[in-house]
Amino acid sequence: MSVLVDTSTVPVADRFDYWAHAHGQVLHPLRLRRPGSGPFEGRIRAYQFGPVTLFRIEGNTSAIRRTSELIARHDPEEFQVTHLVRGQFRVEQGDRTAFIGAGDLSAYETSHPYDVQARSDFELLLYSIPRALFGDRAEALCGRTATAVPRVDAAAALAGPFLRGLADRVVTGELDLGSPGLSDCVVDMVRLVFDGNRAASDGPAEPSGEALFLRVVDYIDAHLGEPDLGPRTLAAAHFVSPRLLHKVFEARGHTVAGWIRSRRLDAVSRDLVDPALAGQPIRLLAAARGFPDPPHFTRLFRANYGLTPGEYRRDR
């Protein structure tokens, strides 16, 4: 195991600048930004097996952009596959946009501009693979970046646990990084998902499904404090049936209610550690994010984070 970046090693005021600079050194030239100016936490660990590099990255809400100017500065010509362990991401490349949640797979490649936005605190596995390893299929795979392959997809159901299990066993030392054929296995799994899988190449079965999903999740984030936010109000706001809305979320391994609850909890968790809100009572912060019942909110928060809201605020 190699810890390449750990923001806890630098003063709080310098952490995000350190994080942004380190990305360019560890990965390739990137431009980073984030909302607000509170404390930032992040860590990058790396593992090398043959020509493939596995990065395990944890961080707070932030976004990265790779521009034509940065590509001209340096291009490793890599295909980068993400397996999101926790959090929510938006990935954009070319004319494609995908929104991925925990357990989903997506990808981007380094030779064309892209944007990746972490919409909450996150943990992800990033498999960085030289494009040359895909031979004459490289161009086809690179044309399928910024597509979401949900965890319920048949190919993702095979590849996701493999990529996650490999990463976990590398961390524990159960798997020898020098094992012959290990990188070949990763490349084959990536081919399965992004080359041989119709869901990745052709988009969701419902042509408007991805676009509708993106619109709805943006609407949810903008209306978290509304107590009646739910499937019926969302469906009405987007001129679709509740049945279709449920179908679009289920196709991506989520429920509408579960997504709303998760986003509300993420928002409160950020508010709890925001220095500008340090004097606000927890019950008011929760109510502003759609949790008017303090005991119910506390139970949900503890179940999700393993701490009460007060303990979370104190320990961060």
Side-chain angles (χ1 to χ4, degrees):
M1 178 180 70
S2 175
V3 179
L4 301 181
V5 183
D6 187 347
T7 60
S8 68
T9 62
V10 300
V12 172
D14 300 331
R15 287 181 180 177
F16 187 74
D17 288 342
Y18 166 65
W19 179 253
H21 177 74
H23 270 68
Q25 304 300 310
V26 171
L27 296 170
H28 42 266
L30 295 165
R31 185 174 300 145
L32 276 73
R33 64 188 188 280
R34 63 164 176 154
S37 57
F40 186 89
E41 296 179 9
R43 174 183 290 185
I44 301 177
R45 290 169 285 178
Y47 313 85
Q48 186 82 36
F49 38 96
V52 175
T53 306
L54 164 62
F55 296 97
R56 194 164 196 139
I57 306 174
E58 303 170 70
N60 297 147
T61 305
S62 54
I64 61 175
R65 170 170 291 178
R66 183 155 167 82
T67 64
S68 297
E69 176 189 356
L70 296 175
I71 293 168
R73 191 180 303 172
H74 174 60
D75 181 16
E77 298 186 356
E78 293 173 336
F79 189 79
Q80 303 199 311
V81 178
T82 62
H83 175 65
L84 196 57
V85 177
R86 58 182 172 87
Q88 292 91 29
F89 264 47
R90 180 196 291 272
V91 182
E92 300 179 34
Q93 188 161 48
D95 59 355
R96 302 173 299 278
T97 300
F99 198 101
I100 59 174
D104 298 341
L105 298 173
S106 191
Y108 42 93
E109 51 91 8
T110 64
S111 300
H112 294 87
Y114 66 78
D115 284 272
V116 179
Q117 181 182 6
R119 301 165 64 92
S120 63
D121 294 351
F122 69 92
E123 179 180 359
L124 67 84
L125 306 176
L126 178 67
Y127 283 87
S128 190
I129 306 167
R131 285 180 51 173
L133 294 184
F134 297 108
D136 59 5
R137 297 302 299 165
E139 284 301 319
L141 265 71
C142 288
R144 294 163 187 164
T145 58
T147 54
V149 186
R151 58 188 175 184
V152 295
D153 174 87
L158 290 173
F162 169 80
L163 296 174
R164 176 73 180 271
L166 187 157
D168 290 343
R169 284 166 175 76
V170 165
V171 171
T172 60
E174 299 173 64
L175 192 60
D176 181 3
L177 292 178
S179 298
L182 192 57
S183 60
D184 293 337
C185 291
V186 174
V187 171
D188 287 342
M189 281 293 179
V190 171
R191 281 200 185 102
L192 171 69
V193 174
F194 294 98
D195 197 2
N197 181 265
R198 287 185 56 81
S201 60
D202 298 336
E206 179 75 38
S208 62
E210 185 68 14
L212 175 60
F213 182 68
L214 291 169
R215 289 198 303 271
V216 171
V217 297
D218 279 342
Y219 184 93
I220 289 171
D221 280 353
H223 297 80
L224 290 176
E226 297 180 5
D228 62 344
L229 187 66
R232 290 192 176 277
T233 57
L234 288 170
H238 293 84
F239 306 100
V240 298
S241 69
R243 183 174 178 274
L244 174 59
L245 189 65
H246 285 299
K247 180 181 176 182
V248 167
F249 273 75
E250 287 167 3
R252 289 154 181 79
H254 306 288
T255 66
V256 179
W259 189 277
I260 294 171
R261 181 171 59 251
S262 176
R263 296 302 295 150
R264 281 173 165 164
L265 288 170
D266 284 345
V268 178
S269 71
R270 292 193 301 272
D271 292 343
L272 287 171
V273 298
D274 187 340
L277 300 174
Q280 290 289 319
I282 291 174
R283 60 181 176 79
L284 294 183
L285 295 179
R289 298 298 189 175
F291 293 115
D293 182 347
H296 177 64
F297 162 69
T298 299
R299 287 193 297 272
L300 289 176
F301 195 94
R302 185 198 290 271
N304 193 71
Y305 292 97
L307 300 168
T308 67
E311 291 168 340
Y312 186 91
R313 174 181 255 182
R314 184 187 64 241
D315 294 347
R316 293 300 176 101

